[in-house]
Amino acid sequence: MKRRIGTARLGLPLLLLLGGCDNWQSALEARGASAISLKHLIILIVAVCSVIWMLVMIAMIHALWRRRTAWRAPLDLVPPRERRLGWIVSICTGLTAVIILGFTVASFFTTRDISVAGQDDLTIRIGGLQWWWSVEYLDPDPSAGFVSANEIHIPTGRNVRLLLQGDDVIHSFWVPSLAGKQDLIPGRTNEITIRAERPGAYRGQCAEFCGLQHAHMGFLVTADTPEDFARWARAQRAPAANSADDEEIAAGRDVFMRKPCAGCHSIRGTQATGTSGPDLTHLASRAFIAAGLLPTSRGALAAWVADPQTLKPGNNMPLVPLTPDELRAMSAYLASLK
Amino acid sequence: MKERVVLDLSKLPLHALGPASVTWWGTLGFMLIEGTGFALVIAVYLYLMSLAPIWPLNAQPPNLLAGTVMTVVLIASVVPNIMLSRWAEHQDLRKVRIGMVVMSVLGIVPLIIRVFEFATLNIKWDSNAYGSVVWTLLGLHTTHIITDLIDTLVLTALMFTRHGDNLRRYGDVQDNAMYWNFVVAAWLPIYGCIYWLARI
Amino acid sequence: MTDTIRRAQILDTELKRPELTSQLEETWKTERGLWGALSTVDHKIIGRRYITTAFVFLLLGGVLAMLIRLQLAGPEGRLIGPDRYNQIFTMHGANMMFLFAVPVMEAMGVYLVPLMVGTRNIAFPRLNAFSYWMFLAGGLVLWISFALDMGPDVGWFAYVPLSGPQYAPGKRADIWAQMITFTEVAALAVAVEIVVTVFKQRAPGMSLDRIPLFVWAMLVTSFVVIMAMPAIMVASTSLILDRLVGTHFFNPAEGGDVLLWQHLFWFFGHPEVYIIFIPAVGMVSTLVATFSRRPVFGYLPLVVALIGTGILAFGLWVHHMFTTGLPRLGESFFTASSMAIAIPSGVQIFCWIATLWEGRPVFKTPLLFVIGFIVTFVIGGLTGVMVASVPFDTQVHDTYFVVAHFHYVLIGGAVFPLLGAVYYWFPKFTGRMMSERLGRWAFWLIFTGFHATFFPMHILGLEGMPRRVYTYQPDLPWHGLNLFASASAIILAAGFFVFFIDVVMSARSGNPAGDNPWDAPTLEWATSSPPPAYNFAQIPVVSSANPLWEQPGALNVANGLHTDRREVVVTTITTAEPQARESSPQNCIWPLWTAIATSVMLVWSIFSPWAVVWGSIPIAITLIGWFWPKGTPEDEA
């Protein structure tokens, strides 16, 4: 951190861009094909602009402090010198136009570079909601599709087509390490393609202001090897784990179905079929709960259920009063939904 | 600072008329603002139309009669309006008084027709976006008729007082006439939008 | 003409100098006391009020900014909850744009343009008074709502559906929309006044090529206001209609469209930036010339650049919507058109540097702010070129990179010149100089504080930090730079504090300034500081772009005006040939009543659509009172 602050003060953006740091949600830590193209464009434009800025500064400093001849009245101008300046200003203006043209061309090629997925690629529908993400894997065979939330798995080395739809207000899908952002707009469908070459986890976050908990609307994109991905997808397609032999889990499941929980959440394989909250079928297989708020653990789940409004004020999950026993059973059940 | 007189203005008129006057340009400025407003609402109409699968959305197009009568009346009103403007230019108080009364009546008549227009739009403002935009277009134009009518009525009253026979009042009459022409001109594209685009 | 109307009789040619000034003073004066203050139409008094009020809003907006920095200094800050935070950042943006930046620039125009073109009052002085009252009412509505926990919380851009009937219950979004109406009415009124003042009230001989560049800038700005602000009026009215009477402009379920809002908003919103920026470059051109001790280099290219900026401003709105899913085909076009604005900006920068190069810089505080402006604005302009590239923008849009960018443009590009302008024109406003020593302190604190606060935000944005988040999680590596920015904001605030101290102290006890302390070339310096109520005892006659340099110590003037009615000279648009001696309205209380009636109607209409019907009646009555002739010599022709 210290080093970064030092360079920031020196005003050397280029160094910063080239100097790496460890961040799984950064346009500078590009890991996906799109993000890498974009990073090259960013470095190019920032570098050229930095040079321009320095040239302008040198010109200005020289203009301010250069040695001058004797005093002259304000209107006593020297025509040849004025003409020469006129030429210099014209040339600089011309150069400005040329540079802009160059940037436009570079932008054009970058856009062309950014991969576009075909219809037959893996297609995922992403729904943006206040304040979480619904994730629906579409498949030509409807029975092979499945629903999840807040965590997207993609196979490495393959274009993945995302259909983006805002289900309440406008949100924006942004995983800086993989691609630029794209908005989710009610009444419209946008598309974006992401592609990761290497396995890894990349964090994303809503980038369009969407209300009270805009700050806590994170998600995770996990790139797996094709084999891992296939395994994961198989597991996700399956209904929820049924650990009926564990008494505590069975009790928790009972609480879940009795209380209002089932009205909002779905757990496939049970009678919980609500759709206004995230699908919880494989909740415990995800790395985070509550849209990137807390790492998944039984303790975190218990804390969340016990008091969602303190952890994420204003979110749409109400506080459902539970006795300590019910809460313990509930957290056991939720933690069992691998 | 030493002042050196180089120009004598004492022969200049004490009030300027038409494009020489400040109020003429002010009126033009406000016409530009409102014209931009009209253009934008028409742009909204076209934008929504371009998105809609069918247009009008779930409604019959508005009946032509009231709107067409409105158009005829408004266009016809331009003739006495221009005459009034001429009379004002010639500072003919008697004719200006008559003209102002005529224009007051010609400001009220469209308001009556407008009631029938709203009634035969065949859609409510809260039915869908199409309804919202036609009601807004018509409403926006109606507010312009009303404001110009009030202005005309006040000016008419003024012309019958001791303040009437005054170069400045004649200038106001001319500016008011110009504004009415604008209200009429603004109606034509709106008429085309509401009544004819909905039939294409 | 009837005998009940008093006529103007006394010509200035008949009077000796002391009689002339005392007679003019009698005719143009503002009465003492509250009634005089409420009914004045003097552009200088209204302009000063406008500027002061706008700076009060700057102070309030600055307090909000400090609260934001305090909250974001560390991860998972608990100082401010999301509900209050959303109100705070919305208020900060709306306040700074609508209650500070635009009004303060227009207010500088209200004060300076009539003086710079050599006339005695702005065109439509009563409209000017009305404009100020509307602006004040709009500001009060916004801040009182905020104090009552009813402040808008949907962002200064109020995107639907978040601000629509379904997702923004209560009256917060309506307060935002109606505050827009207040401030836009005020801004549009001033725009028309300035256009007409510049077109028709220039001093005889001030042809188009002799208009001071600040006046050119205000003229272009006023046209941009006239063309841009109707869009936001249409947008905010549609929003209120959607919320109040159930229209469906923005409801996709009933044929409306969410992006329609963004098109309308940015068709206004992008020109809005230039409405703030163009006056600022006008100030820079003025300051550069005076403190380089020579006329500005490239008068014509600078005017063309101003006009070009004004026109291009309307071709850029889409660049706020690069991530909404535009057709790919259009991308290069949007990129090129958005970047094109760099050309007029570049021309201006080059001309200013050329002026400094061939001039003899005098390093007074105003010039320091100009230098600070060039250093900062060039960065802001270049990051502007960056976000104009569609692919680049997809990574930085709605992140702290953009926050950094527009603060560089707005603070570096507009507030620095404004502060320089305040140091420059303060002697004219008050008759007293500001402190050079405090000025230097203020400049260096603001300059370093600004860069240390906002430069790191570029990096934060690239590192993935989105805008408008009330907090961030500890596992994201943004803590250090945020803390650094927050700490630096204290330096920035200290700089503004010194500036305000300087203003207050200098207004009370600064050194007397004299008419023209900087030996500047334009007409506002040809009269006393502060100027008398009538601005000029005799109307200047101009034969050069730099009249006070052309003939040091002497001023060509015209005579033949009446002194017992408020009279100004009307001239032709291009060559400024005298056309008429036109009257200028007397002080009048009706604009205040009209503003009160309008405010009641607007606030009422948040709660009931019938307010528009019943509330219009008092407005009509007050307007009739306003326009009904009062029998003064000003009513006579």
Side-chain angles (χ1 to χ4, degrees):
Chain A
M1 250 337 132
K2 255 191 189 133
R3 182 177 60 84
R4 249 186 274 162
I5 293 166
T7 43
R9 205 182 300 140
L10 290 172
L12 296 172
L14 197 60
L15 269 185
L16 280 155
L17 284 177
L18 299 174
C21 53
D22 194 33
N23 182 349
W24 63 346
Q25 178 178 324
S26 169
L28 305 179
E29 299 284 298
R31 295 291 180 270
S34 297
I36 290 169
S37 299
L38 291 174
K39 185 180 169 185
H40 291 157
L41 180 75
I42 291 172
I43 290 175
L44 170 78
I45 294 185
V46 170
V48 173
C49 286
S50 304
V51 172
I52 295 171
W53 183 77
M54 277 186 268
L55 292 176
V56 174
M57 288 308 106
I58 290 168
M60 184 189 73
I61 289 166
H62 186 76
L64 286 169
W65 282 290
R66 74 194 188 90
R67 201 190 283 274
R68 284 160 219 279
T69 51
W71 182 89
R72 272 206 309 270
L75 295 179
D76 184 13
L77 305 177
V78 189
R81 296 187 66 91
E82 298 288 306
R83 268 199 299 281
R84 207 188 61 185
L85 271 184
W87 277 109
I88 296 172
V89 167
S90 309
I91 291 168
C92 291
T93 309
L95 286 175
T96 311
V98 170
I99 291 164
I100 285 171
L101 198 66
F103 285 168
T104 306
V105 171
S107 303
F108 171 76
F109 282 111
T110 305
T111 303
R112 217 182 52 169
D113 264 8
I114 294 173
S115 45
V116 178
Q119 295 289 329
D120 50 339
D121 285 306
L122 176 61
T123 303
I124 309 172
R125 191 195 96 93
I126 309 286
L129 294 106
Q130 286 181 324
W131 290 274
W132 59 283
W133 305 84
S134 88
V135 180
E136 189 182 348
Y137 284 75
L138 304 178
D139 197 288
D141 169 14
S143 66
F146 56 89
V147 177
S148 179
N150 299 332
E151 190 167 313
I152 303 163
H153 283 247
I154 58 171
T156 52
R158 202 174 148 194
N159 287 341
V160 179
R161 182 162 154 255
L162 304 178
L163 303 180
L164 307 174
Q165 292 173 334
D167 292 339
D168 41 39
V169 301
I170 302 175
H171 303 275
S172 190
F173 182 92
W174 188 36
V175 203
S177 301
L178 294 182
K181 64 182 71 61
Q182 192 71 248
D183 293 353
L184 298 83
I185 297 171
R188 289 170 181 253
T189 303
N190 277 334
E191 274 194 40
I192 190 174
T193 304
I194 56 174
R195 179 189 174 103
E197 298 301 341
R198 273 174 296 164
Y202 310 105
R203 194 179 188 277
Q205 190 168 353
C206 176
E208 181 63 85
F209 176 63
C210 57
L212 284 174
Q213 280 301 331
H214 169 54
H216 290 128
M217 191 168 159
F219 60 97
L220 206 60
V221 176
T222 306
D224 301 321
T225 59
E227 303 77 52
D228 286 347
F229 176 76
R231 205 173 304 128
W232 174 85
R234 235 184 348 265
Q236 293 287 314
R237 235 171 256 132
N242 188 357
S243 320
D245 42 339
D246 185 314
E247 241 172 71
E248 195 178 29
I249 291 175
R253 181 182 153 134
D254 189 43
V255 175
F256 189 96
M257 301 304 157
R258 260 193 299 118
K259 297 281 178 182
C261 315
C264 295
H265 295 283
S266 282
I267 300 178
R268 272 174 283 131
T270 74
Q271 60 268 50
T273 53
T275 52
S276 52
D279 182 290
L280 301 180
T281 310
H282 298 287
L283 171 66
S285 75
R286 302 176 201 150
F288 290 88
I289 63 165
L293 185 69
L294 299 167
T296 308
S297 69
R298 189 173 161 186
L301 284 165
W304 172 250
V305 173
D307 192 0
Q309 290 301 328
T310 300
L311 290 173
K312 195 167 166 177
N315 90 83
N316 292 321
M317 177 153 150
L319 192 157
V320 177
L322 296 177
T323 66
D325 283 343
E326 286 173 333
L327 184 61
R328 207 171 304 126
M330 174 81 91
S331 61
Y333 173 58
L334 292 176
S336 77
L337 296 171
K338 297 276 189 207
Chain B
M1 182 101 21
K2 252 210 308 283
E3 293 182 353
R4 198 162 47 213
V5 177
V6 295
L7 190 64
D8 178 21
L9 303 171
S10 60
K11 297 289 179 293
L12 288 180
L14 288 170
H15 180 57
L17 279 184
S21 88
V22 171
T23 43
W24 190 88
W25 284 95
T27 312
L28 207 64
F30 281 100
M31 277 161 48
L32 189 57
I33 293 170
E34 284 147 34
T36 310
F38 279 124
L40 283 163
V41 181
I42 290 173
V44 170
Y45 182 97
L46 297 174
Y47 178 87
L48 291 172
M49 184 175 163
S50 73
L51 292 181
I54 45 158
W55 195 259
L57 277 173
N58 308 325
Q60 292 297 311
N63 303 357
L64 278 174
L65 180 66
T68 309
V69 171
M70 180 72 156
T71 311
V72 172
V73 170
L74 285 181
I75 291 176
S77 74
V78 171
V79 178
N81 195 40
I82 288 173
M83 286 163 71
L84 169 61
S85 186
R86 290 241 175 89
W87 294 331
E89 202 181 330
H90 297 132
Q91 304 180 35
D92 187 334
L93 181 63
R94 201 180 56 85
K95 284 185 177 167
V96 166
R97 282 178 174 167
I98 296 170
M100 288 306 293
V101 172
V102 170
M103 286 317 294
S104 301
V105 173
L106 283 174
I108 295 168
V109 171
L111 285 180
I112 298 167
I113 306 173
R114 190 47 57 83
V115 175
F116 291 96
E117 272 196 88
F118 277 114
T120 54
L121 279 180
N122 296 326
I123 185 105
K124 283 266 185 278
W125 68 88
D126 56 355
S127 305
N128 58 36
Y130 162 73
S132 309
V133 76
V134 282
W135 274 75
T136 304
L137 261 180
L138 213 51
L140 186 64
H141 190 257
T142 310
T143 57
H144 282 75
I145 296 184
I146 294 174
T147 44
D148 193 77
L149 173 64
I150 294 173
D151 197 27
T152 308
L153 290 174
V154 173
L155 257 181
T156 310
L158 259 177
M159 292 317 288
F160 285 94
T161 66
R162 64 189 164 87
H163 301 287
D165 194 13
N166 182 319
L167 195 58
R168 192 169 294 278
R169 283 303 88 61
Y170 293 119
D172 292 345
V173 170
Q174 281 178 285
D175 292 345
N176 187 53
M178 174 166 83
Y179 192 80
W180 180 256
N181 287 339
F182 164 72
V183 172
V184 174
W187 169 246
L188 300 178
I190 298 175
Y191 171 68
C193 253
I194 295 181
Y195 292 93
W196 293 101
L197 274 185
R199 290 188 147 72
I200 289 174
Chain C
M1 318 252 167
T2 55
D3 52 359
T4 41
I5 298 177
R6 284 186 291 124
R7 305 195 56 176
Q9 314 215 314
I10 308 169
L11 274 182
D12 54 5
T13 42
E14 300 156 11
L15 300 171
K16 291 236 158 40
R17 183 73 192 200
E19 286 166 342
L20 173 68
T21 49
S22 68
Q23 176 79 54
L24 281 171
E25 184 63 40
E26 184 57 32
T27 304
W28 287 86
K29 75 172 179 218
T30 293
E31 300 290 339
R32 288 185 167 279
L34 184 65
W35 192 259
L38 295 179
S39 58
T40 186
V41 297
D42 184 334
H43 75 101
K44 297 177 293 299
I45 296 177
I46 293 169
R48 227 161 46 201
R49 247 178 224 171
Y50 231 125
I51 295 168
T52 313
T53 313
F55 269 102
V56 170
F57 287 127
L58 170 72
L59 200 64
L60 290 170
V63 171
L64 296 181
M66 293 308 284
L67 287 175
I68 291 174
R69 283 322 315 168
L70 202 56
Q71 165 76 2
L72 294 179
E76 291 295 3
R78 292 275 163 193
L79 176 74
I80 304 169
D83 182 62
R84 204 62 178 172
Y85 185 87
N86 289 351
Q87 286 186 62
I88 287 176
F89 89 74
T90 302
M91 287 287 295
H92 173 73
N95 173 78
M96 289 305 203
M97 295 301 266
F98 295 110
L99 300 179
F100 167 64
V102 173
V104 83
M105 292 301 175
E106 295 210 299
M108 294 293 275
V110 163
Y111 193 101
L112 292 167
V113 165
L115 285 164
M116 291 178 101
V117 301
T119 188
R120 284 178 172 161
N121 204 349
I122 198 164
F124 312 119
R126 293 175 296 185
L127 187 64
N128 196 31
F130 173 74
S131 164
Y132 173 75
W133 299 124
M134 288 302 289
F135 159 64
L136 181 66
L140 289 177
V141 166
L142 187 69
W143 278 93
I144 290 172
S145 310
F146 180 65
L148 299 176
D149 201 23
M150 268 173 63
D153 58 352
V154 289
W156 86 282
F157 46 93
Y159 275 9
V160 293
L162 188 63
S163 62
Q166 206 180 341
Y167 297 97
K171 292 294 172 194
R172 288 174 171 185
D174 305 276
I175 299 278
W176 176 87
Q178 221 51 310
M179 180 276 297
I180 297 286
T181 313
F182 276 98
T183 53
E184 306 307 77
V185 165
L188 283 166
V190 172
V192 171
E193 291 154 28
I194 287 180
V195 167
V196 177
T197 307
V198 177
F199 273 7
K200 297 306 295 174
Q201 292 189 197
R202 301 200 308 276
M206 188 182 277
S207 50
L208 291 180
D209 56 342
R210 293 171 187 162
I211 298 178
L213 278 165
F214 176 71
V215 174
W216 264 115
M218 286 311 303
L219 180 67
V220 174
T221 303
S222 300
F223 272 106
V224 177
V225 168
I226 286 173
M227 304 300 288
M229 296 224 171
I232 188 74
M233 300 274 272
V234 169
S236 65
T237 308
S238 314
L239 179 63
I240 292 188
L241 289 174
D242 267 17
R243 294 175 56 85
L244 196 63
V245 299
T247 55
H248 297 287
F249 285 102
F250 307 118
N251 177 8
E254 291 293 350
D257 184 52
V258 168
L259 286 189
L260 171 60
W261 172 266
Q262 298 189 19
H263 283 295
L264 284 173
F265 184 82
W266 291 116
F267 186 77
F268 144 81
H270 197 85
E272 167 93 342
V273 178
Y274 295 98
I275 290 168
I276 296 164
F277 174 66
I278 295 174
V281 295
M283 292 167 181
V284 172
S285 293
T286 311
L287 269 54
V288 159
T290 300
F291 293 96
S292 295
R293 314 296 313 136
R294 57 154 286 158
V296 74
F297 178 86
Y299 178 90
L300 184 62
L302 284 172
V303 171
V304 173
L306 287 173
I307 297 172
T309 308
I311 293 171
L312 282 173
F314 289 93
L316 300 176
W317 84 92
V318 178
H319 95 210
H320 298 265
M321 299 169 64
F322 280 169
T323 64
T324 56
L326 298 170
R328 282 238 160 140
L329 271 176
E331 273 190 16
S332 294
F333 171 76
F334 294 134
T335 299
S337 71
S338 303
M339 286 185 181
I341 198 86
I343 295 175
S345 306
V347 167
Q348 299 184 74
I349 298 275
F350 303 141
C351 285
W352 293 324
I353 291 180
T355 310
L356 290 167
W357 191 290
E358 277 299 297
R360 283 162 173 69
V362 181
F363 289 89
K364 299 280 187 186
T365 307
L367 187 67
L368 292 185
F369 276 104
V370 168
I371 297 167
F373 156 81
I374 296 178
V375 173
T376 313
F377 172 69
V378 173
I379 298 178
L382 290 168
T383 54
V385 167
M386 296 177 193
V387 297
S389 155
V390 177
F392 193 120
D393 188 56
T394 61
Q395 280 291 28
V396 294
H397 180 74
D398 271 334
T399 71
Y400 264 83
F401 187 91
V402 174
V403 176
H405 158 67
F406 70 73
H407 281 95
Y408 267 74
V409 175
L410 289 173
I411 297 185
V415 177
F416 284 9
L418 175 71
L419 296 178
V422 169
Y423 273 90
Y424 180 64
W425 277 299
F426 189 86
K428 188 52 64 182
F429 297 162
T430 63
R432 294 180 185 278
M433 303 297 287
M434 284 179 75
S435 155
E436 200 56 35
R437 195 168 56 88
L438 287 180
R440 277 161 201 276
W441 271 101
F443 170 75
W444 285 109
L445 285 172
I446 290 174
F447 183 79
T448 41
F450 169 80
H451 283 276
T453 305
F454 289 99
F455 193 83
M457 292 185 189
H458 293 110
I459 301 152
L460 279 171
L462 288 168
E463 285 184 349
M465 182 167 170
R467 291 170 78 176
R468 301 161 184 149
V469 290
Y470 77 99
T471 190
Y472 48 91
Q473 282 153 276
D475 52 327
L476 291 159
W478 305 329
H479 178 200
L481 287 182
N482 269 304
L483 184 61
F484 181 76
S486 294
S488 308
I490 298 171
I491 302 175
L492 181 55
F496 275 100
F497 183 70
V498 172
F499 170 77
F500 282 115
I501 293 280
D502 194 5
V503 166
V504 173
M505 279 177 36
S506 305
R508 289 157 145 245
S509 56
N511 292 328
D515 291 1
N516 189 0
W518 312 111
D519 186 22
T522 39
L523 285 182
E524 77 273 28
W525 304 103
T527 184
S528 61
S529 306
Y534 46 89
N535 287 357
F536 300 94
Q538 290 180 304
I539 300 299
V541 176
V542 171
S543 54
S544 128
N546 300 287
L548 304 196
W549 279 348
E550 200 72 50
Q551 291 180 309
L555 187 67
N556 290 345
V557 295
N559 66 8
L561 295 185
H562 288 105
T563 54
D564 55 344
R565 78 162 189 171
R566 297 190 173 190
E567 204 159 85
V568 296
V569 182
V570 173
T571 52
T572 56
I573 291 188
T574 49
T575 52
E577 303 285 343
Q579 280 179 308
R581 295 171 290 171
E582 183 61 272
S583 69
S584 177
Q586 275 281 357
N587 294 334
C588 179
I589 193 70
W590 286 103
L592 174 62
W593 300 144
T594 312
I596 291 173
T598 313
S599 303
V600 169
M601 189 273 271
L602 288 176
V603 173
W604 185 8
S605 72
I606 290 176
F607 301 93
S608 160
W610 288 105
V612 179
V613 178
W614 303 122
S616 295
I617 295 169
I619 298 178
I621 293 168
T622 50
L623 279 173
I624 292 169
W626 176 338
F627 287 106
W628 197 268
K630 314 286 188 295
T632 60
E634 283 76 14
D635 288 329
E636 173 242 12

